[in-house]
């Protein structure tokens, strides 16, 4: 019996490599051995032609990623009690508190929200100076109690005391002209109550957490393996796919801050991108996304979302499906061009991978050519 000599021909890249990167999913596409053998038999039965073809395309190619994230709210923090007493009331979970609104009460005395970055660390009275006094004056002016105040002057003046008395009168409390440390909590803007850290009736002590609050602006958080962090840069536009099928435009606000690996996801965390399993603990960073129109995002807190990262974009390049690549016996990569019922191997240079395709260049390659692909 005469044996046909084995030819050292190219193998499909997916048949010779363990995996090929497909950036659109952030994972690896793998062809198992039975499928490879079936494709090889089909090519021989068809006179060396591949089982399927796809066109060489010219256009823009993006290296974007699809990652899983969690919808939340900005700037989570704890509100701690300023002094001792019994907690007699708190704002409800999920409620939004604006300037001068009540956050909670201790011994029946309200702690009200004012806007500012410096915490309320001391009682404020005539003669005091500082950024906290400026904040108080700006708030009194915004509320209409201190129309004649100079908010740029950080001195607690007689006019400030008068404005404080007007504010106290409006809330039917003693008109002392002074503001106690336990009367105000400063925050950067409106606050949303995420959870209560103490129950009505609890005995409070200075520094004991009362509420967990956030800003009211909707954001998305996700994690990326540190090696992939370059795919996300502050200011980059992204698209967020929301629960129910809608989507919203957004941008990356920040990249950084170590995020602990997620044990359940093998280090992938809620943002995905971990790509691994087997319990590997991979270094990760947290990425925060802000919406272009946050008021239009109405999905529940902690809802899972999908974030589409744009990544790098190459304009007007030739590309083929990733699984059209061959590992050439002579070294390097190529594609199998099918023309006039015949197939020939064309060497190519690889560029950027993205969305299941790969950028290719080669002197014998032109737009519209049909290249062989296996059946996946």
């Amino acid at each position: 019996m005469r044996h046909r000599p084995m030819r050292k021909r190219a193998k499909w890249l997916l048949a010779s490599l363990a995996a090929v990167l497909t950036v659109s999913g952030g994972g690896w596409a793998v062809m198992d051995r039975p499928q490879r053998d079936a494709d090889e038999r089909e090519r021989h039965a068809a006179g060396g032609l591949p089982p399927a073809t796809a066109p060489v395309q010219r256009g823009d190619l993006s290296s974007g990623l699809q990652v899983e994230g969690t919808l939340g709210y900005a700037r989570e923090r704890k509100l701690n009690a300023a002094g001792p007493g019994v907690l007699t009331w708190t704002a409800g979970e999920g409620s939004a508190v604006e300037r001068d609104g009540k956050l909670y009460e201790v011994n029946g005395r309200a702690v009200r929200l004012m806007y500012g970055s410096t915490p309320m660390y001391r009682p404020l009275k005539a003669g005091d100076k500082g950024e906290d006094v400026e904040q108080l004056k700006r708030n009194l002016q915004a509320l209409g109690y201190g129309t004649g105040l100079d908010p740029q002057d950080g001195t607690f003046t007689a006019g400030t005391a008068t404005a404080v008395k007007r504010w106290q009168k409006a809330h039917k409390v003693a008109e002392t002209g002074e503001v106690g440390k336990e009367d105000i909590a400063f925050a950067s803007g409106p606050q949303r109550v995420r959870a209560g850290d103490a129950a009505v009736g609890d005995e409070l002590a200075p520094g004991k957490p009362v509420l967990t609050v956030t800003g009211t602006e909707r954001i998305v958080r996700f994690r990326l393996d540190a090696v992939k962090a370059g795919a996300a840069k502050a200011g980059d536009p992204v698209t967020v796919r929301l629960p129910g099928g809608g989507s919203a435009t957004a941008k990356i606000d920040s990249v950084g801050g170590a995020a602990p690996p997620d044990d359940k996801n093998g280090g992938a965390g809620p943002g995905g991108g971990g790509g691994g399993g087997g319990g590997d603990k991979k270094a990760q960073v947290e990425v925060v996304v802000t919406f272009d129109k946050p008021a239009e995002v109405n999905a529940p807190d902690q809802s899972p979302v999908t974030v589409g990262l744009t990544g790098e974009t190459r304009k007007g390049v030739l590309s083929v499906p990733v699984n059209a690549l061959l590992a050439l016996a002579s070294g390097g990569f190529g594609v199998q061009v099918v023309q006039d019922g015949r197939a020939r191997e064309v060497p190519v240079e690889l560029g950027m991978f993205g969305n299941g395709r790969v950028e290719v260049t080669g002197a014998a390659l032109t737009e519209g050519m049909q290249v062989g692909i296996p059946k996946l």
Side-chain angles (χ1 to χ4, degrees), residues 22-370:
T22 56
V23 181
S24 60
W28 301 86
V30 181
M31 178 183 287
D32 58 27
R33 184 178 181 83
Q35 180 65 57
R36 296 198 304 266
D37 292 343
D39 286 341
E40 194 71 29
R41 289 193 299 271
E42 190 168 349
R43 283 197 298 276
H44 283 300
L49 295 177
T53 61
V56 178
Q57 295 179 357
R58 183 178 295 279
D60 298 345
L61 186 65
S62 171
S63 62
L65 294 171
Q66 297 288 323
V67 296
E68 299 306 311
T70 303
L71 187 64
Y73 290 87
R75 300 179 299 277
E76 182 175 318
R77 58 174 288 208
K78 298 284 188 182
L79 282 184
N80 300 324
V86 175
L87 183 65
T88 52
W89 180 87
T90 66
E93 184 174 328
S95 62
V97 181
E98 298 186 348
R99 193 196 315 259
D100 205 29
K102 285 196 301 182
L103 293 162
Y104 59 94
E105 293 180 356
V106 178
N107 295 340
R109 184 174 182 175
V111 178
R112 296 186 178 275
L113 175 65
M114 296 291 188
Y115 298 166
S117 57
T118 300
M120 187 69 174
Y121 65 93
R122 60 175 178 170
L124 297 177
K125 59 188 184 303
D128 287 341
K129 298 181 179 181
E131 172 60 28
D132 50 351
V133 177
E134 287 186 33
Q135 290 178 173
L136 175 64
K137 294 170 77 170
R138 286 196 294 269
N139 280 275
L140 291 170
Q141 189 176 57
L143 291 168
Y145 301 115
T147 54
L149 296 179
D150 178 5
Q152 304 302 318
D153 180 4
T155 301
F156 198 117
T157 62
T160 307
T162 299
V164 169
K165 288 179 181 179
R166 292 174 183 155
W167 172 68
Q168 291 170 329
K169 182 178 181 180
H171 292 300
K172 299 179 181 180
V173 298
E175 299 172 33
T176 63
E178 299 180 358
V179 180
K181 180 181 175 182
E182 65 278 11
D183 292 334
I184 287 176
F186 282 117
S188 58
Q191 299 292 288
R192 176 183 178 274
V193 178
R194 180 172 181 182
D197 297 302
V200 171
D202 284 355
E203 188 77 36
L204 300 180
K208 180 178 179 179
V210 181
L211 297 174
T212 298
V213 296
T214 69
T216 55
E217 183 182 53
R218 307 307 300 272
I219 63 168
V220 170
R221 290 185 176 90
F222 64 88
R223 297 175 183 175
L224 280 178
D225 290 345
V227 295
K228 295 181 181 178
K233 296 181 177 61
D236 282 355
V238 299
T239 300
V240 180
R241 191 161 67 244
L242 300 167
S247 63
T249 57
K251 65 177 179 296
I252 294 176
D253 182 69
S254 64
V255 180
D262 188 316
D263 292 339
K264 294 183 291 185
N265 293 323
D280 289 342
K281 303 297 191 297
K282 297 182 179 181
Q284 296 181 319
V285 296
E286 184 176 72
V287 182
V288 176
V289 169
T290 57
F291 291 95
D292 295 340
K293 297 180 179 179
E296 297 180 2
V297 180
N298 298 315
D301 188 25
Q302 301 302 299
S303 296
V305 296
T306 301
V307 182
L309 306 179
T310 303
E312 180 187 359
T313 298
R314 301 291 296 273
K315 299 285 188 179
V317 298
L318 292 177
S319 69
V320 298
V322 168
N323 56 335
L325 295 177
L326 307 171
L328 301 179
S330 58
F333 303 107
V335 293
Q336 191 176 42
V337 173
V338 179
Q339 286 180 316
D340 302 324
R342 303 179 63 182
R344 58 189 173 90
E345 292 162 5
V346 174
V348 296
E349 295 292 330
L350 305 186
M352 188 178 73
F353 287 79
N355 299 309
R357 301 184 68 83
V358 58
E359 177 188 357
V360 290
T361 55
L365 205 64
T366 60
E367 180 182 4
M369 279 184 169
Q370 296 291 318

